[in-house]
PDB file of all heavy atoms in Angstrom:
ATOM      1  N   ALA A  23      11.924 -17.983  22.085  1.00  0.00           N
ATOM      2  CA  ALA A  23      11.837 -17.360  23.410  1.00  0.00           C
ATOM      3  C   ALA A  23      13.213 -17.074  23.996  1.00  0.00           C
ATOM      4  O   ALA A  23      14.085 -17.946  24.030  1.00  0.00           O
ATOM      5  CB  ALA A  23      11.057 -18.261  24.359  1.00  0.00           C
ATOM      6  N   GLY A  24      13.391 -15.834  24.453  1.00  0.00           N
ATOM      7  CA  GLY A  24      14.597 -15.459  25.175  1.00  0.00           C
ATOM      8  C   GLY A  24      15.825 -15.208  24.326  1.00  0.00           C
ATOM      9  O   GLY A  24      16.914 -14.990  24.875  1.00  0.00           O
ATOM     10  N   LYS A  25      15.698 -15.204  23.018  1.00  0.00           N
ATOM     11  CA  LYS A  25      16.860 -14.996  22.148  1.00  0.00           C
ATOM     12  C   LYS A  25      16.657 -13.757  21.281  1.00  0.00           C
ATOM     13  O   LYS A  25      15.569 -13.524  20.771  1.00  0.00           O
ATOM     14  CB  LYS A  25      17.095 -16.215  21.264  1.00  0.00           C
ATOM     15  CG  LYS A  25      17.480 -17.470  22.024  1.00  0.00           C
ATOM     16  CD  LYS A  25      17.740 -18.624  21.063  1.00  0.00           C
ATOM     17  CE  LYS A  25      18.138 -19.890  21.821  1.00  0.00           C
ATOM     18  NZ  LYS A  25      18.374 -21.027  20.890  1.00  0.00           N
ATOM     19  N   THR A  26      17.738 -12.990  21.108  1.00  0.00           N
ATOM     20  CA  THR A  26      17.705 -11.842  20.218  1.00  0.00           C
ATOM     21  C   THR A  26      18.246 -12.258  18.858  1.00  0.00           C
ATOM     22  O   THR A  26      19.319 -12.854  18.770  1.00  0.00           O
ATOM     23  CB  THR A  26      18.547 -10.680  20.774  1.00  0.00           C
ATOM     24  OG1 THR A  26      18.000 -10.260  22.032  1.00  0.00           O
ATOM     25  CG2 THR A  26      18.545  -9.495  19.819  1.00  0.00           C
ATOM     26  N   LYS A  27      17.493 -11.950  17.814  1.00  0.00           N
ATOM     27  CA  LYS A  27      17.900 -12.316  16.464  1.00  0.00           C
ATOM     28  C   LYS A  27      18.010 -11.061  15.592  1.00  0.00           C
ATOM     29  O   LYS A  27      17.268 -10.096  15.792  1.00  0.00           O
ATOM     30  CB  LYS A  27      16.906 -13.300  15.838  1.00  0.00           C
ATOM     31  CG  LYS A  27      16.840 -14.642  16.558  1.00  0.00           C
ATOM     32  CD  LYS A  27      15.967 -15.631  15.803  1.00  0.00           C
ATOM     33  CE  LYS A  27      16.618 -16.069  14.507  1.00  0.00           C
ATOM     34  NZ  LYS A  27      15.804 -17.095  13.797  1.00  0.00           N
ATOM     35  N   SER A  28      18.949 -11.096  14.647  1.00  0.00           N
ATOM     36  CA  SER A  28      19.145  -9.977  13.724  1.00  0.00           C
ATOM     37  C   SER A  28      18.476 -10.288  12.389  1.00  0.00           C
ATOM     38  O   SER A  28      18.522 -11.426  11.917  1.00  0.00           O
ATOM     39  CB  SER A  28      20.640  -9.731  13.502  1.00  0.00           C
ATOM     40  OG  SER A  28      21.269  -9.347  14.705  1.00  0.00           O
ATOM     41  N   PHE A  29      17.867  -9.270  11.793  1.00  0.00           N
ATOM     42  CA  PHE A  29      17.188  -9.440  10.511  1.00  0.00           C
ATOM     43  C   PHE A  29      17.565  -8.294   9.576  1.00  0.00           C
ATOM     44  O   PHE A  29      17.573  -7.124   9.982  1.00  0.00           O
ATOM     45  CB  PHE A  29      15.672  -9.446  10.702  1.00  0.00           C
ATOM     46  CG  PHE A  29      15.171 -10.526  11.614  1.00  0.00           C
ATOM     47  CD1 PHE A  29      15.016 -10.278  12.967  1.00  0.00           C
ATOM     48  CD2 PHE A  29      14.884 -11.790  11.122  1.00  0.00           C
ATOM     49  CE1 PHE A  29      14.562 -11.276  13.825  1.00  0.00           C
ATOM     50  CE2 PHE A  29      14.430 -12.796  11.966  1.00  0.00           C
ATOM     51  CZ  PHE A  29      14.275 -12.541  13.323  1.00  0.00           C
ATOM     52  N   THR A  30      17.875  -8.637   8.346  1.00  0.00           N
ATOM     53  CA  THR A  30      18.089  -7.647   7.297  1.00  0.00           C
ATOM     54  C   THR A  30      17.391  -8.148   6.043  1.00  0.00           C
ATOM     55  O   THR A  30      17.658  -9.258   5.589  1.00  0.00           O
ATOM     56  CB  THR A  30      19.580  -7.416   7.004  1.00  0.00           C
ATOM     57  OG1 THR A  30      20.218  -6.872   8.165  1.00  0.00           O
ATOM     58  CG2 THR A  30      19.765  -6.442   5.839  1.00  0.00           C
ATOM     59  N   LYS A  31      16.480  -7.349   5.506  1.00  0.00           N
ATOM     60  CA  LYS A  31      15.758  -7.709   4.296  1.00  0.00           C
ATOM     61  C   LYS A  31      16.030  -6.655   3.227  1.00  0.00           C
ATOM     62  O   LYS A  31      15.915  -5.450   3.483  1.00  0.00           O
ATOM     63  CB  LYS A  31      14.252  -7.795   4.558  1.00  0.00           C
ATOM     64  CG  LYS A  31      13.850  -8.872   5.557  1.00  0.00           C
ATOM     65  CD  LYS A  31      14.020 -10.269   4.986  1.00  0.00           C
ATOM     66  CE  LYS A  31      13.580 -11.333   5.975  1.00  0.00           C
ATOM     67  NZ  LYS A  31      13.723 -12.699   5.426  1.00  0.00           N
ATOM     68  N   VAL A  32      16.393  -7.126   2.046  1.00  0.00           N
ATOM     69  CA  VAL A  32      16.617  -6.257   0.897  1.00  0.00           C
ATOM     70  C   VAL A  32      15.515  -6.565  -0.116  1.00  0.00           C
ATOM     71  O   VAL A  32      15.322  -7.723  -0.484  1.00  0.00           O
ATOM     72  CB  VAL A  32      17.999  -6.506   0.267  1.00  0.00           C
ATOM     73  CG1 VAL A  32      18.237  -5.557  -0.887  1.00  0.00           C
ATOM     74  CG2 VAL A  32      19.101  -6.367   1.317  1.00  0.00           C
ATOM     75  N   PHE A  33      14.768  -5.565  -0.554  1.00  0.00           N
ATOM     76  CA  PHE A  33      13.651  -5.840  -1.449  1.00  0.00           C
ATOM     77  C   PHE A  33      13.453  -4.726  -2.468  1.00  0.00           C
ATOM     78  O   PHE A  33      13.792  -3.558  -2.214  1.00  0.00           O
ATOM     79  CB  PHE A  33      12.358  -6.029  -0.647  1.00  0.00           C
ATOM     80  CG  PHE A  33      11.871  -4.780   0.051  1.00  0.00           C
ATOM     81  CD1 PHE A  33      10.952  -3.930  -0.560  1.00  0.00           C
ATOM     82  CD2 PHE A  33      12.335  -4.454   1.321  1.00  0.00           C
ATOM     83  CE1 PHE A  33      10.505  -2.787   0.076  1.00  0.00           C
ATOM     84  CE2 PHE A  33      11.899  -3.305   1.970  1.00  0.00           C
ATOM     85  CZ  PHE A  33      10.980  -2.469   1.343  1.00  0.00           C
ATOM     86  N   LYS A  34      12.914  -5.098  -3.613  1.00  0.00           N
ATOM     87  CA  LYS A  34      12.511  -4.126  -4.614  1.00  0.00           C
ATOM     88  C   LYS A  34      11.026  -3.858  -4.411  1.00  0.00           C
ATOM     89  O   LYS A  34      10.216  -4.784  -4.417  1.00  0.00           O
ATOM     90  CB  LYS A  34      12.760  -4.662  -6.025  1.00  0.00           C
ATOM     91  CG  LYS A  34      12.427  -3.661  -7.133  1.00  0.00           C
ATOM     92  CD  LYS A  34      12.739  -4.226  -8.506  1.00  0.00           C
ATOM     93  CE  LYS A  34      14.238  -4.225  -8.758  1.00  0.00           C
ATOM     94  NZ  LYS A  34      14.540  -4.583 -10.176  1.00  0.00           N
ATOM     95  N   ALA A  35      10.666  -2.597  -4.210  1.00  0.00           N
ATOM     96  CA  ALA A  35       9.290  -2.240  -3.880  1.00  0.00           C
ATOM     97  C   ALA A  35       8.334  -2.605  -5.017  1.00  0.00           C
ATOM     98  O   ALA A  35       8.535  -2.209  -6.164  1.00  0.00           O
ATOM     99  CB  ALA A  35       9.186  -0.754  -3.570  1.00  0.00           C
ATOM    100  N   ALA A  36       7.286  -3.349  -4.671  1.00  0.00           N
ATOM    101  CA  ALA A  36       6.276  -3.760  -5.655  1.00  0.00           C
ATOM    102  C   ALA A  36       5.246  -2.668  -5.900  1.00  0.00           C
ATOM    103  O   ALA A  36       4.474  -2.744  -6.854  1.00  0.00           O
ATOM    104  CB  ALA A  36       5.577  -5.026  -5.181  1.00  0.00           C
ATOM    105  N   ALA A  37       5.227  -1.655  -5.041  1.00  0.00           N
ATOM    106  CA  ALA A  37       4.280  -0.543  -5.180  1.00  0.00           C
ATOM    107  C   ALA A  37       4.862   0.683  -4.493  1.00  0.00           C
ATOM    108  O   ALA A  37       5.716   0.569  -3.615  1.00  0.00           O
ATOM    109  CB  ALA A  37       2.942  -0.911  -4.556  1.00  0.00           C
ATOM    110  N   SER A  38       4.409   1.841  -4.914  1.00  0.00           N
ATOM    111  CA  SER A  38       4.795   3.087  -4.249  1.00  0.00           C
ATOM    112  C   SER A  38       3.835   3.347  -3.097  1.00  0.00           C
ATOM    113  O   SER A  38       2.630   3.137  -3.221  1.00  0.00           O
ATOM    114  CB  SER A  38       4.746   4.259  -5.226  1.00  0.00           C
ATOM    115  OG  SER A  38       5.695   4.106  -6.250  1.00  0.00           O
ATOM    116  N   THR A  39       4.373   3.793  -1.975  1.00  0.00           N
ATOM    117  CA  THR A  39       3.515   4.081  -0.830  1.00  0.00           C
ATOM    118  C   THR A  39       4.192   5.080   0.091  1.00  0.00           C
ATOM    119  O   THR A  39       5.424   5.092   0.224  1.00  0.00           O
ATOM    120  CB  THR A  39       3.176   2.801  -0.042  1.00  0.00           C
ATOM    121  OG1 THR A  39       2.346   3.136   1.073  1.00  0.00           O
ATOM    122  CG2 THR A  39       4.425   2.115   0.486  1.00  0.00           C
ATOM    123  N   ASN A  40       3.392   5.933   0.689  1.00  0.00           N
ATOM    124  CA  ASN A  40       3.872   6.856   1.706  1.00  0.00           C
ATOM    125  C   ASN A  40       3.099   6.549   2.975  1.00  0.00           C
ATOM    126  O   ASN A  40       2.394   7.380   3.519  1.00  0.00           O
ATOM    127  CB  ASN A  40       3.649   8.301   1.264  1.00  0.00           C
ATOM    128  CG  ASN A  40       4.229   9.303   2.239  1.00  0.00           C
ATOM    129  OD1 ASN A  40       5.178   9.015   2.954  1.00  0.00           O
ATOM    130  ND2 ASN A  40       3.646  10.480   2.291  1.00  0.00           N
ATOM    131  N   ASN A  41       3.237   5.309   3.430  1.00  0.00           N
ATOM    132  CA  ASN A  41       2.427   4.799   4.526  1.00  0.00           C
ATOM    133  C   ASN A  41       3.325   4.328   5.660  1.00  0.00           C
ATOM    134  O   ASN A  41       4.227   5.048   6.071  1.00  0.00           O
ATOM    135  CB  ASN A  41       1.529   3.677   3.993  1.00  0.00           C
ATOM    136  CG  ASN A  41       0.392   3.344   4.929  1.00  0.00           C
ATOM    137  OD1 ASN A  41       0.508   2.420   5.711  1.00  0.00           O
ATOM    138  ND2 ASN A  41      -0.705   4.092   4.861  1.00  0.00           N
ATOM    139  N   ASN A  42       3.098   3.119   6.143  1.00  0.00           N
ATOM    140  CA  ASN A  42       3.844   2.619   7.295  1.00  0.00           C
ATOM    141  C   ASN A  42       4.561   1.310   7.014  1.00  0.00           C
ATOM    142  O   ASN A  42       4.130   0.522   6.171  1.00  0.00           O
ATOM    143  CB  ASN A  42       2.892   2.370   8.471  1.00  0.00           C
ATOM    144  CG  ASN A  42       2.319   3.640   9.041  1.00  0.00           C
ATOM    145  OD1 ASN A  42       3.003   4.647   9.130  1.00  0.00           O
ATOM    146  ND2 ASN A  42       1.055   3.607   9.419  1.00  0.00           N
ATOM    147  N   LEU A  43       5.628   1.100   7.744  1.00  0.00           N
ATOM    148  CA  LEU A  43       6.158  -0.247   7.931  1.00  0.00           C
ATOM    149  C   LEU A  43       5.528  -0.729   9.220  1.00  0.00           C
ATOM    150  O   LEU A  43       5.636  -0.065  10.256  1.00  0.00           O
ATOM    151  CB  LEU A  43       7.679  -0.239   8.026  1.00  0.00           C
ATOM    152  CG  LEU A  43       8.326  -1.623   8.200  1.00  0.00           C
ATOM    153  CD1 LEU A  43       9.690  -1.683   7.490  1.00  0.00           C
ATOM    154  CD2 LEU A  43       8.490  -2.014   9.656  1.00  0.00           C
ATOM    155  N   THR A  44       4.844  -1.872   9.149  1.00  0.00           N
ATOM    156  CA  THR A  44       4.024  -2.345  10.265  1.00  0.00           C
ATOM    157  C   THR A  44       4.512  -3.680  10.805  1.00  0.00           C
ATOM    158  O   THR A  44       4.742  -4.614  10.044  1.00  0.00           O
ATOM    159  CB  THR A  44       2.557  -2.501   9.819  1.00  0.00           C
ATOM    160  OG1 THR A  44       2.065  -1.233   9.382  1.00  0.00           O
ATOM    161  CG2 THR A  44       1.690  -3.017  10.937  1.00  0.00           C
ATOM    162  N   PHE A  45       4.675  -3.739  12.123  1.00  0.00           N
ATOM    163  CA  PHE A  45       4.956  -4.996  12.809  1.00  0.00           C
ATOM    164  C   PHE A  45       3.630  -5.533  13.339  1.00  0.00           C
ATOM    165  O   PHE A  45       3.043  -4.950  14.263  1.00  0.00           O
ATOM    166  CB  PHE A  45       5.914  -4.788  13.978  1.00  0.00           C
ATOM    167  CG  PHE A  45       7.332  -4.481  13.585  1.00  0.00           C
ATOM    168  CD1 PHE A  45       7.742  -3.173  13.346  1.00  0.00           C
ATOM    169  CD2 PHE A  45       8.273  -5.497  13.455  1.00  0.00           C
ATOM    170  CE1 PHE A  45       9.047  -2.887  13.000  1.00  0.00           C
ATOM    171  CE2 PHE A  45       9.583  -5.230  13.107  1.00  0.00           C
ATOM    172  CZ  PHE A  45       9.976  -3.918  12.867  1.00  0.00           C
ATOM    173  N   GLY A  46       3.132  -6.635  12.758  1.00  0.00           N
ATOM    174  CA  GLY A  46       1.926  -7.285  13.254  1.00  0.00           C
ATOM    175  C   GLY A  46       2.299  -8.238  14.372  1.00  0.00           C
ATOM    176  O   GLY A  46       2.876  -9.287  14.136  1.00  0.00           O
ATOM    177  N   ILE A  47       1.981  -7.877  15.612  1.00  0.00           N
ATOM    178  CA  ILE A  47       2.513  -8.623  16.753  1.00  0.00           C
ATOM    179  C   ILE A  47       1.453  -9.408  17.526  1.00  0.00           C
ATOM    180  O   ILE A  47       1.755 -10.014  18.552  1.00  0.00           O
ATOM    181  CB  ILE A  47       3.289  -7.702  17.721  1.00  0.00           C
ATOM    182  CG1 ILE A  47       2.367  -6.619  18.295  1.00  0.00           C
ATOM    183  CG2 ILE A  47       4.466  -7.052  17.007  1.00  0.00           C
ATOM    184  CD1 ILE A  47       3.057  -5.740  19.340  1.00  0.00           C
ATOM    185  N   GLY A  48       0.211  -9.402  17.051  1.00  0.00           N
ATOM    186  CA  GLY A  48      -0.798 -10.226  17.707  1.00  0.00           C
ATOM    187  C   GLY A  48      -0.582 -11.702  17.417  1.00  0.00           C
ATOM    188  O   GLY A  48       0.235 -12.065  16.567  1.00  0.00           O
ATOM    189  N   GLY A  49      -1.281 -12.555  18.127  1.00  0.00           N
ATOM    190  CA  GLY A  49      -1.173 -13.990  17.870  1.00  0.00           C
ATOM    191  C   GLY A  49      -1.758 -14.335  16.506  1.00  0.00           C
ATOM    192  O   GLY A  49      -2.737 -13.742  16.075  1.00  0.00           O
ATOM    193  N   ASP A  50      -1.144 -15.264  15.826  1.00  0.00           N
ATOM    194  CA  ASP A  50      -1.686 -15.746  14.548  1.00  0.00           C
ATOM    195  C   ASP A  50      -1.440 -17.242  14.491  1.00  0.00           C
ATOM    196  O   ASP A  50      -0.289 -17.679  14.469  1.00  0.00           O
ATOM    197  CB  ASP A  50      -1.028 -15.048  13.363  1.00  0.00           C
ATOM    198  CG  ASP A  50      -1.810 -15.268  12.070  1.00  0.00           C
ATOM    199  OD1 ASP A  50      -2.441 -16.340  11.931  1.00  0.00           O
ATOM    200  OD2 ASP A  50      -1.791 -14.381  11.207  1.00  0.00           O
ATOM    201  N   PHE A  51      -2.519 -18.009  14.465  1.00  0.00           N
ATOM    202  CA  PHE A  51      -2.401 -19.466  14.511  1.00  0.00           C
ATOM    203  C   PHE A  51      -2.814 -20.119  13.198  1.00  0.00           C
ATOM    204  O   PHE A  51      -3.183 -21.287  13.151  1.00  0.00           O
ATOM    205  CB  PHE A  51      -3.224 -19.998  15.684  1.00  0.00           C
ATOM    206  CG  PHE A  51      -2.867 -19.310  16.985  1.00  0.00           C
ATOM    207  CD1 PHE A  51      -3.803 -18.555  17.672  1.00  0.00           C
ATOM    208  CD2 PHE A  51      -1.579 -19.380  17.481  1.00  0.00           C
ATOM    209  CE1 PHE A  51      -3.461 -17.892  18.856  1.00  0.00           C
ATOM    210  CE2 PHE A  51      -1.232 -18.724  18.662  1.00  0.00           C
ATOM    211  CZ  PHE A  51      -2.169 -17.982  19.353  1.00  0.00           C
ATOM    212  N   GLY A  52      -2.729 -19.300  12.108  1.00  0.00           N
ATOM    213  CA  GLY A  52      -2.953 -19.850  10.781  1.00  0.00           C
ATOM    214  C   GLY A  52      -4.395 -20.138  10.449  1.00  0.00           C
ATOM    215  O   GLY A  52      -4.671 -20.858   9.488  1.00  0.00           O
ATOM    216  N   ASP A  53      -5.329 -19.572  11.209  1.00  0.00           N
ATOM    217  CA  ASP A  53      -6.739 -19.903  10.987  1.00  0.00           C
ATOM    218  C   ASP A  53      -7.608 -18.655  10.825  1.00  0.00           C
ATOM    219  O   ASP A  53      -8.812 -18.692  11.021  1.00  0.00           O
ATOM    220  CB  ASP A  53      -7.272 -20.745  12.145  1.00  0.00           C
ATOM    221  CG  ASP A  53      -7.030 -20.093  13.502  1.00  0.00           C
ATOM    222  OD1 ASP A  53      -6.542 -18.949  13.542  1.00  0.00           O
ATOM    223  OD2 ASP A  53      -7.342 -20.736  14.521  1.00  0.00           O
ATOM    224  N   ARG A  54      -7.006 -17.547  10.445  1.00  0.00           N
ATOM    225  CA  ARG A  54      -7.755 -16.314  10.267  1.00  0.00           C
ATOM    226  C   ARG A  54      -8.275 -16.188   8.837  1.00  0.00           C
ATOM    227  O   ARG A  54      -7.730 -16.798   7.913  1.00  0.00           O
ATOM    228  CB  ARG A  54      -6.881 -15.099  10.578  1.00  0.00           C
ATOM    229  CG  ARG A  54      -6.332 -15.067  12.001  1.00  0.00           C
ATOM    230  CD  ARG A  54      -7.397 -14.955  13.049  1.00  0.00           C
ATOM    231  NE  ARG A  54      -8.144 -13.705  12.942  1.00  0.00           N
ATOM    232  CZ  ARG A  54      -9.162 -13.387  13.727  1.00  0.00           C
ATOM    233  NH1 ARG A  54      -9.566 -14.221  14.664  1.00  0.00           N
ATOM    234  NH2 ARG A  54      -9.777 -12.246  13.574  1.00  0.00           N
ATOM    235  N   SER A  55      -9.307 -15.376   8.665  1.00  0.00           N
ATOM    236  CA  SER A  55      -9.856 -15.144   7.324  1.00  0.00           C
ATOM    237  C   SER A  55     -10.072 -13.652   7.087  1.00  0.00           C
ATOM    238  O   SER A  55     -10.973 -13.262   6.355  1.00  0.00           O
ATOM    239  CB  SER A  55     -11.177 -15.903   7.160  1.00  0.00           C
ATOM    240  OG  SER A  55     -12.114 -15.492   8.151  1.00  0.00           O
ATOM    241  N   ASP A  56      -9.244 -12.812   7.739  1.00  0.00           N
ATOM    242  CA  ASP A  56      -9.379 -11.382   7.557  1.00  0.00           C
ATOM    243  C   ASP A  56      -8.843 -10.959   6.181  1.00  0.00           C
ATOM    244  O   ASP A  56      -8.359 -11.785   5.409  1.00  0.00           O
ATOM    245  CB  ASP A  56      -8.691 -10.608   8.691  1.00  0.00           C
ATOM    246  CG  ASP A  56      -7.370 -11.210   9.101  1.00  0.00           C
ATOM    247  OD1 ASP A  56      -7.205 -12.416   8.938  1.00  0.00           O
ATOM    248  OD2 ASP A  56      -6.498 -10.472   9.568  1.00  0.00           O
ATOM    249  N   ASP A  57      -8.911  -9.670   5.878  1.00  0.00           N
ATOM    250  CA  ASP A  57      -8.690  -9.172   4.521  1.00  0.00           C
ATOM    251  C   ASP A  57      -7.376  -9.606   3.883  1.00  0.00           C
ATOM    252  O   ASP A  57      -7.335  -9.936   2.704  1.00  0.00           O
ATOM    253  CB  ASP A  57      -8.776  -7.640   4.503  1.00  0.00           C
ATOM    254  CG  ASP A  57     -10.188  -7.147   4.766  1.00  0.00           C
ATOM    255  OD1 ASP A  57     -11.125  -7.964   4.661  1.00  0.00           O
ATOM    256  OD2 ASP A  57     -10.358  -5.957   5.086  1.00  0.00           O
ATOM    257  N   ASP A  58      -6.291  -9.573   4.639  1.00  0.00           N
ATOM    258  CA  ASP A  58      -4.990  -9.876   4.028  1.00  0.00           C
ATOM    259  C   ASP A  58      -4.479 -11.281   4.362  1.00  0.00           C
ATOM    260  O   ASP A  58      -3.319 -11.593   4.118  1.00  0.00           O
ATOM    261  CB  ASP A  58      -3.944  -8.837   4.449  1.00  0.00           C
ATOM    262  CG  ASP A  58      -3.492  -9.024   5.896  1.00  0.00           C
ATOM    263  OD1 ASP A  58      -4.332  -9.438   6.726  1.00  0.00           O
ATOM    264  OD2 ASP A  58      -2.322  -8.762   6.192  1.00  0.00           O
ATOM    265  N   ALA A  59      -5.340 -12.131   4.908  1.00  0.00           N
ATOM    266  CA  ALA A  59      -4.911 -13.467   5.351  1.00  0.00           C
ATOM    267  C   ALA A  59      -4.291 -14.279   4.216  1.00  0.00           C
ATOM    268  O   ALA A  59      -3.233 -14.896   4.387  1.00  0.00           O
ATOM    269  CB  ALA A  59      -6.080 -14.222   5.970  1.00  0.00           C
ATOM    270  N   ALA A  60      -4.930 -14.301   3.057  1.00  0.00           N
ATOM    271  CA  ALA A  60      -4.427 -15.113   1.945  1.00  0.00           C
ATOM    272  C   ALA A  60      -3.020 -14.677   1.542  1.00  0.00           C
ATOM    273  O   ALA A  60      -2.147 -15.512   1.284  1.00  0.00           O
ATOM    274  CB  ALA A  60      -5.375 -15.008   0.748  1.00  0.00           C
ATOM    275  N   VAL A  61      -2.795 -13.357   1.536  1.00  0.00           N
ATOM    276  CA  VAL A  61      -1.474 -12.836   1.155  1.00  0.00           C
ATOM    277  C   VAL A  61      -0.432 -13.199   2.198  1.00  0.00           C
ATOM    278  O   VAL A  61       0.633 -13.724   1.881  1.00  0.00           O
ATOM    279  CB  VAL A  61      -1.525 -11.299   0.972  1.00  0.00           C
ATOM    280  CG1 VAL A  61      -0.119 -10.738   0.768  1.00  0.00           C
ATOM    281  CG2 VAL A  61      -2.407 -10.941  -0.210  1.00  0.00           C
ATOM    282  N   ARG A  62      -0.722 -12.931   3.471  1.00  0.00           N
ATOM    283  CA  ARG A  62       0.310 -13.162   4.485  1.00  0.00           C
ATOM    284  C   ARG A  62       0.594 -14.654   4.695  1.00  0.00           C
ATOM    285  O   ARG A  62       1.729 -15.028   5.024  1.00  0.00           O
ATOM    286  CB  ARG A  62      -0.021 -12.449   5.786  1.00  0.00           C
ATOM    287  CG  ARG A  62      -1.133 -12.987   6.632  1.00  0.00           C
ATOM    288  CD  ARG A  62      -1.188 -12.240   7.972  1.00  0.00           C
ATOM    289  NE  ARG A  62      -2.140 -12.834   8.873  1.00  0.00           N
ATOM    290  CZ  ARG A  62      -3.421 -12.490   8.952  1.00  0.00           C
ATOM    291  NH1 ARG A  62      -3.899 -11.525   8.179  1.00  0.00           N
ATOM    292  NH2 ARG A  62      -4.223 -13.078   9.813  1.00  0.00           N
ATOM    293  N   TYR A  63      -0.407 -15.513   4.512  1.00  0.00           N
ATOM    294  CA  TYR A  63      -0.144 -16.946   4.644  1.00  0.00           C
ATOM    295  C   TYR A  63       0.657 -17.472   3.460  1.00  0.00           C
ATOM    296  O   TYR A  63       1.465 -18.395   3.610  1.00  0.00           O
ATOM    297  CB  TYR A  63      -1.453 -17.719   4.806  1.00  0.00           C
ATOM    298  CG  TYR A  63      -2.163 -17.449   6.125  1.00  0.00           C
ATOM    299  CD1 TYR A  63      -3.546 -17.528   6.233  1.00  0.00           C
ATOM    300  CD2 TYR A  63      -1.445 -17.099   7.270  1.00  0.00           C
ATOM    301  CE1 TYR A  63      -4.200 -17.276   7.430  1.00  0.00           C
ATOM    302  CE2 TYR A  63      -2.092 -16.847   8.466  1.00  0.00           C
ATOM    303  CZ  TYR A  63      -3.468 -16.935   8.548  1.00  0.00           C
ATOM    304  OH  TYR A  63      -4.105 -16.675   9.742  1.00  0.00           O
TER     305      TYR A  63
END
């Protein structure tokens, strides 16, 4: 809270895509079971 942080990520793409870079900003309390939950956890 109240702090600005810098982030830089360097990655090799695991798949080709012409889609979006998405910021998921809703609350997540580690108890979801939606489609991508297993991957993101």
Side-chain angles (χ1 to χ4, degrees):
K25 295 182 180 179
T26 298
K27 296 187 70 177
S28 297
F29 301 92
T30 296
K31 297 289 182 179
V32 182
F33 67 93
K34 183 178 285 189
S38 295
T39 179
N40 184 27
N41 196 264
N42 292 322
L43 181 146
T44 300
F45 289 87
I47 61 176
D50 195 329
F51 307 117
D53 53 5
R54 300 296 297 178
S55 58
D56 40 332
D57 291 344
D58 74 326
V61 172
R62 72 173 187 270
Y63 292 150

